[in-house]
Amino acid sequence: MLPLFASHSGGRSPLTCEYRCGNACAHPEPNQSGNEYFGDVVKGVVSRRGALRAGAVMAAAAGGFAALSGTAAAATTATATTAAQRPVRPAAGTDFDAVSPNKFDAVTTPDGYGQSVVIRWGDAVEAGAPKFDFHHQTAAAQAKQFGYNNDFVGLIPQDALGTRNLLVVNHEYTTEVHLFPADQYDPANPTEEQVKIAWAAHGLSVVQTVRDPLFGALRSVPSRLNRRITLDTVFEMRGPAAGSKYLQTSADASGRQVRGTQNNCSGGVTPWGTVLSGEENFHQYFANADKVTEPTTAARLKRYGVGTGASTRKWERFDKRWDVSQEPNEPNRFGWVVEIDPHDPKSTPVKHTALGRFKHEAANVKITADGRVAVYSGDDERFDYIYKYVSKGKYKPGQSALARRHNSALLDDGTLYVAKFTGDSPDFDGLLPADGEFDGTGEWIPLASGNTSFVDGFTAEDVYVFTRLAADKAGATKMDRPEDIEPNPVNGRIYAALTNNTDRGALGKAGIDEVNPRKNNKNGHILEWDEDHGDSASTRFRWRLLLVCGDPATADTYFGGFPKEQVSPISCPDNVAFDGRGNLWIATDGNALGANDGLFSVPVEGPDRGHVKQFLTVPVGAETCGPVVTEHLVLVAVQHPGENAASSANPTSHWPDGGTSQPRPAIVAVWKKGPFGLVGRIGVR
């Protein structure tokens, strides 16, 4: 049996928690507001009897819960399939045998699938990039090379067959004790060059790729479109808060230009061919918020979790903008949705203030019934909120330069909302409700539109820059770390990954409710909702939970009503994507069940709704990010492989290059092998 508990939050290593989010889960959550849910009455904790109402709990072994070897495999590729995991009845839209949970130092895939690395940290992106040399890095080289810790992956076709594509990738954060050789890096005293290397390793990469239409592999190629965006790239602030007094600094008195983007987590490809990227855990890069004594400013910094004392990376030693005591407005210039135009390498990236400022996991677009643009985004923090933006103007179809400029401007004038969820079981007590589903209704509470605020005591400027505080006042529903949120292109519903929240129901913290039904939520859940009339401009919706994740053998899990003995165990959902049939694909982060993270598929309609199947696993210490699922290709970003090691001195992973090499974050392409080795079609029997 896999262990049900990990020594740290979820299955992440302490090192990942330190460098990725500043150990956010080890500190009190920033949301200390007293707003209670406008829905379910807290009756108690989840009982392990609860899911028995959905059917008998089967032994884990019957669900194919394979024992772990406890040791890493030396191979850099592998397949892992067991007959016990083959479903009794077929799952709509998927034709693979689920891989078993494991701890291999490899990307494991089902039998009959091929894989290859598309691009890895340090590979050339821009012309003139030198060959990567782990022991002799420079900031100038890194600024032209593929960045560190890849997260979001966007694939933008450039021809009808999808053989030429632009690959756009976020580089979320740096782990300096793995970024540099252990004998060169002192965490207490980094050099200026090392700090500049880290600045260059953040941001995004735009890479031209070519797919082999016969044998499946995707490879990067030189192109005039290839581009690195780093913490030195100039961004334009746009929208109603641009120029705000809260955005002005000594380096930018206008409040309209910002150097760089950081902690870019997930994102989305827009219908007009640009990429939206969410700035997430920006708080950890700043130092000395405790030295800010003005009460209102201090309270705002605290609500966003901005760092006190010295920062982990010590950037404040080399640029005062990272020292909040010297530049108290600099943190306000991060936490936005940014937009880049990968078709124009000379274009200036944008930060859209109308979409609000918080820890954006992602931003994804759906066109409303009357042709406007709706953007969904989650605030990835315990007890924070889900948001929607609806533009005032209407979408212009196409991906021409004119269409891209027109549609980008739509994100600067519209209405920002926050979600309130109400369960339909008024006496909800943590058990599966009598109607057989966790479900209910919801409404979108308007926060601001243009220069008009709908929140008492807040100007519109306040709402956009301090969105969390406005949402507190509006009475939004506190959620369990809302991460990626995406519309399903087939059924039109919206799906959100809620990763976990071990503080749910703790003493003095918000208790369970029907939309967050589990105390001490280690494993997370998947939420879906229908906007009224299927229209994303609506202000009301109906919701239900598709999955309550975890070990299928435990009573507190739920798989859309599908027999639990037939599903793969899944923990800590993070990023989501859809295939052409509308099946949901889920990438995990911090598997709390003891195995490596992975990518899972699950039908959302019909008799196989809720049938979770694991498609792949990632190497030791890694997280699965940025899934893309096309007719012929699956892409995942393998983030922070080997980050369960204390430093680069004794690596626990040698993926992807094998041997004694250092681990390197990378993008992996997976494809189905057809007859004679030719590429087949993903998810088609």
Side-chain angles (χ1 to χ4, degrees), residues 468-490:
R468 283 182 164 183
L469 290 143
D472 293 343
K473 184 71 176 289
T477 300
K478 297 179 179 179
M479 305 297 287
D480 286 356
R481 287 187 57 207
E483 300 220 32
D484 199 4
I485 304 174
E486 297 202 18
N488 187 321
V490 176

Side-chain angles (χ1 to χ4, degrees), residues 397-526:
Q399 296 190 3
S400 67
L402 177 62
R404 297 198 304 272
R405 286 194 298 271
H406 171 87
N407 294 321
S408 176
L410 298 179
L411 304 185
D412 298 325
D413 187 9
T415 303
L416 180 64
Y417 300 88
V418 69
K420 180 177 75 175
F421 294 84
T422 301
D424 65 3
S425 301
D427 295 321
F428 179 73
D429 59 2
L431 306 178
L432 186 69
D435 63 4
E437 288 190 316
F438 302 93
D439 61 351
T441 59
E443 66 175 287
W444 292 105
I445 305 170
L447 299 177
S449 184
N451 293 320
T452 301
S453 168
F454 302 114
V455 182
D456 289 344
F458 285 73
T459 66
E461 182 182 40
D462 294 338
V463 170
Y464 297 120
V465 182
F466 308 110
T467 310
R468 283 182 164 183
L469 290 143
D472 293 343
K473 184 71 176 289
T477 300
K478 297 179 179 179
M479 305 297 287
D480 286 356
R481 287 187 57 207
E483 300 220 32
D484 199 4
I485 304 174
E486 297 202 18
N488 187 321
V490 176
N491 68 17
R493 297 188 194 116
I494 315 300
Y495 291 78
L498 294 111
T499 296
N500 54 38
N501 182 358
T502 54
D503 276 356
R504 174 69 63 179
L507 184 64
K509 308 294 177 65
I512 59 170
D513 59 12
E514 199 167 346
V515 75
N516 299 282
R518 184 163 48 187
K519 183 182 180 182
N520 188 24
N521 180 10
K522 294 183 176 70
N523 294 298
H525 49 286
I526 297 288

